Amino acid sequence: MFKVFVDGEAGTTGLQINERLANRDDVELLHIDPELRKDAKERQRLINESDVTFLCLPDAASKESAELCANPKTKIIDASTAHRTNPAWAYGLSELSPEFRKAVETNTRIANPGCHASGFILGVYPLIAAGLLKKNADLATYSLTGYSGGGKKMIADYEAEGAQISHPGESPRLFAPRPYALGHHHKHLPEMTLVCGLEKAPIFNPVVGPYYKGMAVSTALFQSSLTKSASAKDVQEILAAHYANTRFVKVLPFEEEPTLDAGSLNPTECNGTNEAHVYVFGKDSSIQVSVIIDNLGKGASGAAIQNMNIALGLDEGIGLV
């Protein structure tokens, strides 16, 4: 029986982790009295009593909680941005390589990847590793996500009465997709750049849509950024080979004329799972890599539990679909 504490269990990711672990017979969930959730001594006690602590907190609070851990056996999995570029922490995207997986298996400090970052890195990292994509590549990435990724406040805004209703002659407040991070300073950019080994960040355009969850991250590949001429099918074959033996990352067959639903991409097709679906589209010199995940699954709580399973030496798929 593993003791697990979720520091920040009232947040979106914390609630999802608790929900996913509640029915497991190999886990004992440690809960903090709501009145003591900001009490450092009580949080310290629970963190050091646990085998695994998930940090589902803002960055500054996550750093403070990580410092409360004195038990060398306690594994900390941080869902915030705070430690994702810290070389002392394992980056929890084990599918990238045996080295990434080994780091999750052996390290007591694991940084859970960001949702946009997961979609981008899963599509780009193998192409860098294969030597096809230049490290100084010019990349443009468009990421459409459901509003749950914005946390409790954004969820409340979108689910308020009338927020998404379109009235004749009026512009509904939240009915249309909304591009954001227009200053090109998104918090996921540092990990996207560092983990892939890129020399410069991609141009990144995240967009929040008027639906609860589901994410499609699409990256354009320009021939000028490749080390040699390659087709969309070549790119698909590299990605398929890279992820051939992974459990949750599935590379779909290449189709010159895609036969997807009405010829379109569905950002919700992985909802309720820990899967990532990787598509490659293109013709001649035009190539696009698109990765679909559940932003609350493989983009957050699902990935966190997968990392916990690996770190504890368990089957990585326990409690996940």
Side-chain angles (χ1 to χ4, degrees), residues 64-98:
E64 291 175 3
S65 284
E67 292 174 359
L68 294 175
C69 183
N71 184 345
K73 294 183 179 180
T74 299
K75 298 178 185 296
I76 305 289
I77 300 176
D78 184 8
S80 82
T81 315
H83 299 102
R84 292 175 187 162
T85 59
N86 186 333
W89 287 61
Y91 190 76
L93 201 52
S94 60
E95 291 90 351
L96 295 182
S97 73

PDB file of all heavy atoms in Angstrom, residues 64-98:
ATOM      1  N   GLU A  64       8.093  25.947  -2.542  1.00  0.00           N
ATOM      2  CA  GLU A  64       8.086  25.915  -1.080  1.00  0.00           C
ATOM      3  C   GLU A  64       7.761  24.513  -0.575  1.00  0.00           C
ATOM      4  O   GLU A  64       8.414  24.022   0.364  1.00  0.00           O
ATOM      5  CB  GLU A  64       7.054  26.913  -0.549  1.00  0.00           C
ATOM      6  CG  GLU A  64       7.430  28.369  -0.772  1.00  0.00           C
ATOM      7  CD  GLU A  64       6.324  29.320  -0.352  1.00  0.00           C
ATOM      8  OE1 GLU A  64       5.285  28.834   0.167  1.00  0.00           O
ATOM      9  OE2 GLU A  64       6.480  30.536  -0.561  1.00  0.00           O
ATOM     10  N   SER A  65       6.779  23.854  -1.179  1.00  0.00           N
ATOM     11  CA  SER A  65       6.404  22.512  -0.735  1.00  0.00           C
ATOM     12  C   SER A  65       7.522  21.507  -0.985  1.00  0.00           C
ATOM     13  O   SER A  65       7.771  20.625  -0.163  1.00  0.00           O
ATOM     14  CB  SER A  65       5.124  22.055  -1.450  1.00  0.00           C
ATOM     15  OG  SER A  65       3.998  22.682  -0.899  1.00  0.00           O
ATOM     16  N   ALA A  66       8.179  21.618  -2.141  1.00  0.00           N
ATOM     17  CA  ALA A  66       9.278  20.702  -2.453  1.00  0.00           C
ATOM     18  C   ALA A  66      10.381  20.802  -1.405  1.00  0.00           C
ATOM     19  O   ALA A  66      10.997  19.788  -1.034  1.00  0.00           O
ATOM     20  CB  ALA A  66       9.830  20.996  -3.836  1.00  0.00           C
ATOM     21  N   GLU A  67      10.598  21.999  -0.891  1.00  0.00           N
ATOM     22  CA  GLU A  67      11.641  22.204   0.118  1.00  0.00           C
ATOM     23  C   GLU A  67      11.246  21.656   1.488  1.00  0.00           C
ATOM     24  O   GLU A  67      12.102  21.479   2.357  1.00  0.00           O
ATOM     25  CB  GLU A  67      11.982  23.689   0.212  1.00  0.00           C
ATOM     26  CG  GLU A  67      12.680  24.219  -1.032  1.00  0.00           C
ATOM     27  CD  GLU A  67      12.901  25.723  -1.008  1.00  0.00           C
ATOM     28  OE1 GLU A  67      12.471  26.356  -0.008  1.00  0.00           O
ATOM     29  OE2 GLU A  67      13.490  26.261  -1.962  1.00  0.00           O
ATOM     30  N   LEU A  68       9.961  21.374   1.690  1.00  0.00           N
ATOM     31  CA  LEU A  68       9.509  20.811   2.959  1.00  0.00           C
ATOM     32  C   LEU A  68       9.832  19.329   3.082  1.00  0.00           C
ATOM     33  O   LEU A  68       9.747  18.763   4.164  1.00  0.00           O
ATOM     34  CB  LEU A  68       7.995  21.004   3.112  1.00  0.00           C
ATOM     35  CG  LEU A  68       7.479  22.436   3.238  1.00  0.00           C
ATOM     36  CD1 LEU A  68       5.948  22.434   3.262  1.00  0.00           C
ATOM     37  CD2 LEU A  68       8.038  23.112   4.480  1.00  0.00           C
ATOM     38  N   CYS A  69      10.195  18.704   1.961  1.00  0.00           N
ATOM     39  CA  CYS A  69      10.429  17.256   1.967  1.00  0.00           C
ATOM     40  C   CYS A  69      11.838  16.932   2.455  1.00  0.00           C
ATOM     41  O   CYS A  69      12.834  17.311   1.831  1.00  0.00           O
ATOM     42  CB  CYS A  69      10.222  16.688   0.567  1.00  0.00           C
ATOM     43  SG  CYS A  69      10.401  14.890   0.519  1.00  0.00           S
ATOM     44  N   ALA A  70      11.906  16.193   3.564  1.00  0.00           N
ATOM     45  CA  ALA A  70      13.185  15.751   4.109  1.00  0.00           C
ATOM     46  C   ALA A  70      13.345  14.241   4.041  1.00  0.00           C
ATOM     47  O   ALA A  70      14.425  13.718   4.322  1.00  0.00           O
ATOM     48  CB  ALA A  70      13.320  16.218   5.567  1.00  0.00           C
ATOM     49  N   ASN A  71      12.291  13.545   3.683  1.00  0.00           N
ATOM     50  CA  ASN A  71      12.324  12.084   3.589  1.00  0.00           C
ATOM     51  C   ASN A  71      12.960  11.692   2.253  1.00  0.00           C
ATOM     52  O   ASN A  71      12.401  11.975   1.188  1.00  0.00           O
ATOM     53  CB  ASN A  71      10.901  11.526   3.680  1.00  0.00           C
ATOM     54  CG  ASN A  71      10.860  10.009   3.699  1.00  0.00           C
ATOM     55  OD1 ASN A  71      11.839   9.342   3.366  1.00  0.00           O
ATOM     56  ND2 ASN A  71       9.721   9.460   4.083  1.00  0.00           N
ATOM     57  N   PRO A  72      14.117  11.045   2.271  1.00  0.00           N
ATOM     58  CA  PRO A  72      14.800  10.710   1.014  1.00  0.00           C
ATOM     59  C   PRO A  72      14.048   9.700   0.150  1.00  0.00           C
ATOM     60  O   PRO A  72      14.360   9.549  -1.034  1.00  0.00           O
ATOM     61  CB  PRO A  72      16.142  10.138   1.487  1.00  0.00           C
ATOM     62  CG  PRO A  72      15.878   9.638   2.868  1.00  0.00           C
ATOM     63  CD  PRO A  72      14.878  10.574   3.447  1.00  0.00           C
ATOM     64  N   LYS A  73      13.050   9.022   0.734  1.00  0.00           N
ATOM     65  CA  LYS A  73      12.300   8.028  -0.026  1.00  0.00           C
ATOM     66  C   LYS A  73      11.039   8.604  -0.667  1.00  0.00           C
ATOM     67  O   LYS A  73      10.444   7.964  -1.533  1.00  0.00           O
ATOM     68  CB  LYS A  73      11.931   6.860   0.892  1.00  0.00           C
ATOM     69  CG  LYS A  73      13.139   6.070   1.391  1.00  0.00           C
ATOM     70  CD  LYS A  73      12.708   4.881   2.229  1.00  0.00           C
ATOM     71  CE  LYS A  73      13.914   4.087   2.705  1.00  0.00           C
ATOM     72  NZ  LYS A  73      13.510   2.916   3.540  1.00  0.00           N
ATOM     73  N   THR A  74      10.634   9.781  -0.247  1.00  0.00           N
ATOM     74  CA  THR A  74       9.423  10.390  -0.804  1.00  0.00           C
ATOM     75  C   THR A  74       9.676  10.894  -2.215  1.00  0.00           C
ATOM     76  O   THR A  74      10.635  11.619  -2.473  1.00  0.00           O
ATOM     77  CB  THR A  74       8.943  11.558   0.076  1.00  0.00           C
ATOM     78  OG1 THR A  74       8.629  11.073   1.377  1.00  0.00           O
ATOM     79  CG2 THR A  74       7.711  12.222  -0.529  1.00  0.00           C
ATOM     80  N   LYS A  75       8.809  10.500  -3.113  1.00  0.00           N
ATOM     81  CA  LYS A  75       8.914  10.961  -4.498  1.00  0.00           C
ATOM     82  C   LYS A  75       7.964  12.141  -4.696  1.00  0.00           C
ATOM     83  O   LYS A  75       6.787  12.063  -4.352  1.00  0.00           O
ATOM     84  CB  LYS A  75       8.575   9.822  -5.462  1.00  0.00           C
ATOM     85  CG  LYS A  75       9.536   8.642  -5.356  1.00  0.00           C
ATOM     86  CD  LYS A  75       9.144   7.502  -6.281  1.00  0.00           C
ATOM     87  CE  LYS A  75      10.030   6.284  -6.072  1.00  0.00           C
ATOM     88  NZ  LYS A  75      11.438   6.524  -6.420  1.00  0.00           N
ATOM     89  N   ILE A  76       8.490  13.220  -5.250  1.00  0.00           N
ATOM     90  CA  ILE A  76       7.709  14.423  -5.497  1.00  0.00           C
ATOM     91  C   ILE A  76       7.432  14.530  -6.994  1.00  0.00           C
ATOM     92  O   ILE A  76       8.364  14.503  -7.812  1.00  0.00           O
ATOM     93  CB  ILE A  76       8.446  15.692  -5.027  1.00  0.00           C
ATOM     94  CG1 ILE A  76       8.853  15.583  -3.552  1.00  0.00           C
ATOM     95  CG2 ILE A  76       7.594  16.927  -5.291  1.00  0.00           C
ATOM     96  CD1 ILE A  76       7.705  15.652  -2.590  1.00  0.00           C
ATOM     97  N   ILE A  77       6.162  14.648  -7.357  1.00  0.00           N
ATOM     98  CA  ILE A  77       5.779  14.859  -8.756  1.00  0.00           C
ATOM     99  C   ILE A  77       5.093  16.214  -8.834  1.00  0.00           C
ATOM    100  O   ILE A  77       4.006  16.401  -8.279  1.00  0.00           O
ATOM    101  CB  ILE A  77       4.852  13.735  -9.260  1.00  0.00           C
ATOM    102  CG1 ILE A  77       5.573  12.381  -9.146  1.00  0.00           C
ATOM    103  CG2 ILE A  77       4.431  14.003 -10.702  1.00  0.00           C
ATOM    104  CD1 ILE A  77       4.707  11.184  -9.519  1.00  0.00           C
ATOM    105  N   ASP A  78       5.750  17.148  -9.490  1.00  0.00           N
ATOM    106  CA  ASP A  78       5.280  18.532  -9.527  1.00  0.00           C
ATOM    107  C   ASP A  78       4.523  18.811 -10.817  1.00  0.00           C
ATOM    108  O   ASP A  78       5.080  18.715 -11.910  1.00  0.00           O
ATOM    109  CB  ASP A  78       6.480  19.472  -9.395  1.00  0.00           C
ATOM    110  CG  ASP A  78       6.069  20.935  -9.318  1.00  0.00           C
ATOM    111  OD1 ASP A  78       4.860  21.208  -9.218  1.00  0.00           O
ATOM    112  OD2 ASP A  78       6.963  21.802  -9.365  1.00  0.00           O
ATOM    113  N   ALA A  79       3.238  19.172 -10.684  1.00  0.00           N
ATOM    114  CA  ALA A  79       2.415  19.470 -11.857  1.00  0.00           C
ATOM    115  C   ALA A  79       2.530  20.924 -12.305  1.00  0.00           C
ATOM    116  O   ALA A  79       1.959  21.297 -13.322  1.00  0.00           O
ATOM    117  CB  ALA A  79       0.956  19.137 -11.558  1.00  0.00           C
ATOM    118  N   SER A  80       3.268  21.743 -11.559  1.00  0.00           N
ATOM    119  CA  SER A  80       3.425  23.145 -11.929  1.00  0.00           C
ATOM    120  C   SER A  80       4.561  23.321 -12.929  1.00  0.00           C
ATOM    121  O   SER A  80       5.236  22.367 -13.312  1.00  0.00           O
ATOM    122  CB  SER A  80       3.705  23.994 -10.684  1.00  0.00           C
ATOM    123  OG  SER A  80       5.080  23.928 -10.326  1.00  0.00           O
ATOM    124  N   THR A  81       4.789  24.571 -13.310  1.00  0.00           N
ATOM    125  CA  THR A  81       5.875  24.903 -14.237  1.00  0.00           C
ATOM    126  C   THR A  81       7.213  25.016 -13.524  1.00  0.00           C
ATOM    127  O   THR A  81       8.260  25.088 -14.174  1.00  0.00           O
ATOM    128  CB  THR A  81       5.557  26.251 -14.935  1.00  0.00           C
ATOM    129  OG1 THR A  81       4.201  26.251 -15.364  1.00  0.00           O
ATOM    130  CG2 THR A  81       6.444  26.492 -16.141  1.00  0.00           C
ATOM    131  N   ALA A  82       7.211  25.018 -12.195  1.00  0.00           N
ATOM    132  CA  ALA A  82       8.364  25.441 -11.404  1.00  0.00           C
ATOM    133  C   ALA A  82       9.666  24.700 -11.693  1.00  0.00           C
ATOM    134  O   ALA A  82      10.742  25.299 -11.677  1.00  0.00           O
ATOM    135  CB  ALA A  82       8.031  25.328  -9.918  1.00  0.00           C
ATOM    136  N   HIS A  83       9.610  23.391 -11.967  1.00  0.00           N
ATOM    137  CA  HIS A  83      10.832  22.596 -12.047  1.00  0.00           C
ATOM    138  C   HIS A  83      11.066  21.934 -13.402  1.00  0.00           C
ATOM    139  O   HIS A  83      11.933  21.079 -13.538  1.00  0.00           O
ATOM    140  CB  HIS A  83      10.816  21.519 -10.958  1.00  0.00           C
ATOM    141  CG  HIS A  83      10.754  22.069  -9.564  1.00  0.00           C
ATOM    142  ND1 HIS A  83       9.585  22.098  -8.832  1.00  0.00           N
ATOM    143  CD2 HIS A  83      11.718  22.626  -8.781  1.00  0.00           C
ATOM    144  CE1 HIS A  83       9.830  22.636  -7.638  1.00  0.00           C
ATOM    145  NE2 HIS A  83      11.097  22.971  -7.583  1.00  0.00           N
ATOM    146  N   ARG A  84      10.323  22.324 -14.421  1.00  0.00           N
ATOM    147  CA  ARG A  84      10.388  21.615 -15.698  1.00  0.00           C
ATOM    148  C   ARG A  84      11.690  21.827 -16.460  1.00  0.00           C
ATOM    149  O   ARG A  84      12.030  21.023 -17.327  1.00  0.00           O
ATOM    150  CB  ARG A  84       9.187  21.998 -16.577  1.00  0.00           C
ATOM    151  CG  ARG A  84       7.879  21.493 -16.019  1.00  0.00           C
ATOM    152  CD  ARG A  84       6.707  21.987 -16.843  1.00  0.00           C
ATOM    153  NE  ARG A  84       5.433  21.632 -16.224  1.00  0.00           N
ATOM    154  CZ  ARG A  84       4.283  22.205 -16.520  1.00  0.00           C
ATOM    155  NH1 ARG A  84       4.234  23.155 -17.444  1.00  0.00           N
ATOM    156  NH2 ARG A  84       3.178  21.836 -15.910  1.00  0.00           N
ATOM    157  N   THR A  85      12.385  22.885 -16.177  1.00  0.00           N
ATOM    158  CA  THR A  85      13.680  23.112 -16.831  1.00  0.00           C
ATOM    159  C   THR A  85      14.827  22.978 -15.841  1.00  0.00           C
ATOM    160  O   THR A  85      15.957  23.361 -16.147  1.00  0.00           O
ATOM    161  CB  THR A  85      13.719  24.495 -17.511  1.00  0.00           C
ATOM    162  OG1 THR A  85      13.485  25.512 -16.526  1.00  0.00           O
ATOM    163  CG2 THR A  85      12.663  24.593 -18.601  1.00  0.00           C
ATOM    164  N   ASN A  86      14.547  22.424 -14.680  1.00  0.00           N
ATOM    165  CA  ASN A  86      15.574  22.215 -13.653  1.00  0.00           C
ATOM    166  C   ASN A  86      16.270  20.879 -13.919  1.00  0.00           C
ATOM    167  O   ASN A  86      15.633  19.828 -13.869  1.00  0.00           O
ATOM    168  CB  ASN A  86      14.918  22.214 -12.268  1.00  0.00           C
ATOM    169  CG  ASN A  86      15.926  22.142 -11.133  1.00  0.00           C
ATOM    170  OD1 ASN A  86      17.029  21.617 -11.295  1.00  0.00           O
ATOM    171  ND2 ASN A  86      15.550  22.652  -9.982  1.00  0.00           N
ATOM    172  N   PRO A  87      17.577  20.889 -14.190  1.00  0.00           N
ATOM    173  CA  PRO A  87      18.274  19.637 -14.533  1.00  0.00           C
ATOM    174  C   PRO A  87      18.298  18.618 -13.402  1.00  0.00           C
ATOM    175  O   PRO A  87      18.564  17.436 -13.641  1.00  0.00           O
ATOM    176  CB  PRO A  87      19.686  20.108 -14.893  1.00  0.00           C
ATOM    177  CG  PRO A  87      19.847  21.428 -14.204  1.00  0.00           C
ATOM    178  CD  PRO A  87      18.483  22.055 -14.218  1.00  0.00           C
ATOM    179  N   ALA A  88      18.018  19.042 -12.178  1.00  0.00           N
ATOM    180  CA  ALA A  88      18.001  18.107 -11.047  1.00  0.00           C
ATOM    181  C   ALA A  88      16.694  17.307 -11.001  1.00  0.00           C
ATOM    182  O   ALA A  88      16.595  16.339 -10.240  1.00  0.00           O
ATOM    183  CB  ALA A  88      18.206  18.867  -9.740  1.00  0.00           C
ATOM    184  N   TRP A  89      15.713  17.721 -11.787  1.00  0.00           N
ATOM    185  CA  TRP A  89      14.422  17.033 -11.817  1.00  0.00           C
ATOM    186  C   TRP A  89      14.279  16.256 -13.115  1.00  0.00           C
ATOM    187  O   TRP A  89      14.661  16.738 -14.184  1.00  0.00           O
ATOM    188  CB  TRP A  89      13.286  18.047 -11.715  1.00  0.00           C
ATOM    189  CG  TRP A  89      13.126  18.655 -10.347  1.00  0.00           C
ATOM    190  CD1 TRP A  89      14.057  19.403  -9.677  1.00  0.00           C
ATOM    191  CD2 TRP A  89      11.984  18.566  -9.498  1.00  0.00           C
ATOM    192  NE1 TRP A  89      13.565  19.782  -8.460  1.00  0.00           N
ATOM    193  CE2 TRP A  89      12.290  19.293  -8.308  1.00  0.00           C
ATOM    194  CE3 TRP A  89      10.740  17.955  -9.615  1.00  0.00           C
ATOM    195  CZ2 TRP A  89      11.391  19.406  -7.257  1.00  0.00           C
ATOM    196  CZ3 TRP A  89       9.832  18.069  -8.566  1.00  0.00           C
ATOM    197  CH2 TRP A  89      10.154  18.791  -7.399  1.00  0.00           C
ATOM    198  N   ALA A  90      13.720  15.050 -13.028  1.00  0.00           N
ATOM    199  CA  ALA A  90      13.419  14.277 -14.231  1.00  0.00           C
ATOM    200  C   ALA A  90      12.241  14.920 -14.946  1.00  0.00           C
ATOM    201  O   ALA A  90      11.292  15.376 -14.305  1.00  0.00           O
ATOM    202  CB  ALA A  90      13.079  12.838 -13.858  1.00  0.00           C
ATOM    203  N   TYR A  91      12.307  14.960 -16.275  1.00  0.00           N
ATOM    204  CA  TYR A  91      11.186  15.477 -17.050  1.00  0.00           C
ATOM    205  C   TYR A  91      10.283  14.306 -17.401  1.00  0.00           C
ATOM    206  O   TYR A  91      10.697  13.361 -18.068  1.00  0.00           O
ATOM    207  CB  TYR A  91      11.687  16.176 -18.315  1.00  0.00           C
ATOM    208  CG  TYR A  91      10.608  16.941 -19.050  1.00  0.00           C
ATOM    209  CD1 TYR A  91      10.147  18.165 -18.571  1.00  0.00           C
ATOM    210  CD2 TYR A  91      10.026  16.436 -20.214  1.00  0.00           C
ATOM    211  CE1 TYR A  91       9.151  18.877 -19.227  1.00  0.00           C
ATOM    212  CE2 TYR A  91       9.030  17.131 -20.883  1.00  0.00           C
ATOM    213  CZ  TYR A  91       8.596  18.354 -20.386  1.00  0.00           C
ATOM    214  OH  TYR A  91       7.605  19.049 -21.047  1.00  0.00           O
ATOM    215  N   GLY A  92       9.026  14.364 -16.935  1.00  0.00           N
ATOM    216  CA  GLY A  92       8.162  13.193 -16.956  1.00  0.00           C
ATOM    217  C   GLY A  92       7.442  12.898 -18.260  1.00  0.00           C
ATOM    218  O   GLY A  92       6.212  12.754 -18.271  1.00  0.00           O
ATOM    219  N   LEU A  93       8.190  12.768 -19.342  1.00  0.00           N
ATOM    220  CA  LEU A  93       7.622  12.327 -20.615  1.00  0.00           C
ATOM    221  C   LEU A  93       8.445  11.128 -21.061  1.00  0.00           C
ATOM    222  O   LEU A  93       9.333  11.210 -21.920  1.00  0.00           O
ATOM    223  CB  LEU A  93       7.667  13.465 -21.629  1.00  0.00           C
ATOM    224  CG  LEU A  93       6.705  13.399 -22.831  1.00  0.00           C
ATOM    225  CD1 LEU A  93       5.264  13.173 -22.380  1.00  0.00           C
ATOM    226  CD2 LEU A  93       6.786  14.654 -23.671  1.00  0.00           C
ATOM    227  N   SER A  94       8.155   9.985 -20.447  1.00  0.00           N
ATOM    228  CA  SER A  94       9.002   8.801 -20.550  1.00  0.00           C
ATOM    229  C   SER A  94       9.070   8.219 -21.959  1.00  0.00           C
ATOM    230  O   SER A  94      10.008   7.485 -22.282  1.00  0.00           O
ATOM    231  CB  SER A  94       8.515   7.719 -19.583  1.00  0.00           C
ATOM    232  OG  SER A  94       7.182   7.338 -19.885  1.00  0.00           O
ATOM    233  N   GLU A  95       8.110   8.533 -22.817  1.00  0.00           N
ATOM    234  CA  GLU A  95       8.087   7.978 -24.167  1.00  0.00           C
ATOM    235  C   GLU A  95       9.190   8.538 -25.060  1.00  0.00           C
ATOM    236  O   GLU A  95       9.457   7.990 -26.132  1.00  0.00           O
ATOM    237  CB  GLU A  95       6.725   8.252 -24.831  1.00  0.00           C
ATOM    238  CG  GLU A  95       5.577   7.476 -24.226  1.00  0.00           C
ATOM    239  CD  GLU A  95       4.892   8.199 -23.090  1.00  0.00           C
ATOM    240  OE1 GLU A  95       5.425   9.245 -22.666  1.00  0.00           O
ATOM    241  OE2 GLU A  95       3.852   7.729 -22.614  1.00  0.00           O
ATOM    242  N   LEU A  96       9.820   9.627 -24.646  1.00  0.00           N
ATOM    243  CA  LEU A  96      10.789  10.282 -25.522  1.00  0.00           C
ATOM    244  C   LEU A  96      12.027   9.436 -25.782  1.00  0.00           C
ATOM    245  O   LEU A  96      12.569   9.429 -26.885  1.00  0.00           O
ATOM    246  CB  LEU A  96      11.194  11.641 -24.943  1.00  0.00           C
ATOM    247  CG  LEU A  96      10.081  12.686 -24.864  1.00  0.00           C
ATOM    248  CD1 LEU A  96      10.631  13.992 -24.321  1.00  0.00           C
ATOM    249  CD2 LEU A  96       9.426  12.906 -26.231  1.00  0.00           C
ATOM    250  N   SER A  97      12.493   8.719 -24.770  1.00  0.00           N
ATOM    251  CA  SER A  97      13.694   7.889 -24.954  1.00  0.00           C
ATOM    252  C   SER A  97      13.893   7.008 -23.730  1.00  0.00           C
ATOM    253  O   SER A  97      13.320   7.281 -22.662  1.00  0.00           O
ATOM    254  CB  SER A  97      14.938   8.768 -25.140  1.00  0.00           C
ATOM    255  OG  SER A  97      15.310   9.376 -23.905  1.00  0.00           O
ATOM    256  N   PRO A  98      14.715   5.973 -23.830  1.00  0.00           N
ATOM    257  CA  PRO A  98      15.032   5.150 -22.649  1.00  0.00           C
ATOM    258  C   PRO A  98      15.651   5.986 -21.530  1.00  0.00           C
ATOM    259  O   PRO A  98      15.443   5.694 -20.352  1.00  0.00           O
ATOM    260  CB  PRO A  98      16.024   4.113 -23.196  1.00  0.00           C
ATOM    261  CG  PRO A  98      15.687   4.002 -24.650  1.00  0.00           C
ATOM    262  CD  PRO A  98      15.303   5.391 -25.068  1.00  0.00           C
TER     263      PRO A  98
END
